[in-house]
Amino acid sequence: MRLILLGPPGAGKGTQAVRISERFGIPQLSTGDMLRAAVAAETPVGLDAKGIMARGDLVPDEVVVQIISDRIDEPDCKNGFILDGFPRTVAQAEALEALLEDKNMQLDSVVELAVDDTILIERIEKRAKESVGGPREDDNADALKKRLDVYHAQTAPLISHYGNKNMLRSVDGMADIERVTSEIISVLETA
Ligand code: AMP
């Protein structure tokens, strides 16, 4: 199963991706996690991405597309994967379609976690307070506002992009964690 989890920052994509990954035995591919690892390892990609991520902007499309393309070629992706935080622009979605076609693969579903902005802000403030090892560099008020603006301007258009292709399933991301997981599973099993 090849799946995209779509939703704003703080919608619970990471939490749900881990649960869905366990349920279906397919890896979670989080571009945010991969980029944070690159920043920590001070690789050339990480050094370029560090400032962009800290202010809540998007890393250039070609950088994340290459990261995802390489990751999909790893053996653990042969039975499928969950994309968490990718694609984030229509250009990334189009690049994903092209690279999957090249690899003879098809996307099965796009699941949107729908959450209101007011709840997102509360959740991210809570995540910043509770995170072990200190908050993420971009879990602060300025970067969060920027990330939400970027989401609405650049990522939300993917909802109609995939809606037009009849691939989009929407789940209420404001319910409790267990319920969101079971809704995602039922959407995937009936897709
Ligand atoms: P996330 O962990 O998904 O919230 O991502 C954290 C940050 O990593 C984002 O605010 C962006 O700066 C960067 N990032 C993650 N995924 C992407 C992507 N698909 N395209 C561009 N930038 C990304």
Side-chain angles (χ1 to χ4, degrees), residues 31-32 35-36 53 57-59 64 85-86 88 92 136 138:
T31 39
L35 288 166
R36 279 185 286 278
M53 292 172 73
D57 263 324
L58 292 185
V59 171
V64 283
F86 179 92
R88 250 178 163 98
Q92 289 179 19
R136 272 170 50 170
D138 57 355

Side-chain angles (χ1 to χ4, degrees), residues 9-10 53-54 123-129 131 134-144 147:
M53 292 172 73
R123 281 192 187 173
I124 292 193
E125 283 170 350
K126 189 163 174 272
R127 175 166 85 189
K129 278 196 201 113
S131 75
R136 272 170 50 170
E137 218 177 329
D138 57 355
D139 275 352
N140 61 68
D142 286 347
L144 174 57
R147 285 157 65 206

Side-chain angles (χ1 to χ4, degrees), residues 62-126:
E62 58 277 16
V63 173
V64 283
V65 168
Q66 189 62 51
I67 290 178
I68 281 293
S69 178
D70 292 345
R71 182 65 185 86
I72 288 175
D73 290 338
E74 300 280 325
D76 64 333
C77 291
K78 73 175 190 312
N79 294 326
F81 46 78
I82 304 162
L83 294 172
D84 160 13
F86 179 92
R88 250 178 163 98
T89 63
V90 172
Q92 289 179 19
E94 287 168 348
L96 174 66
E97 278 145 38
L99 73 85
L100 288 179
E101 201 177 310
D102 273 359
K103 296 179 201 293
N104 273 320
M105 291 178 175
Q106 263 188 357
L107 203 56
D108 298 301
S109 281
V110 180
V111 177
E112 178 208 2
L113 296 181
V115 180
D116 291 344
D117 276 13
T118 45
I119 293 189
L120 298 173
I121 294 169
E122 283 167 22
R123 281 192 187 173
I124 292 193
E125 283 170 350
K126 189 163 174 272

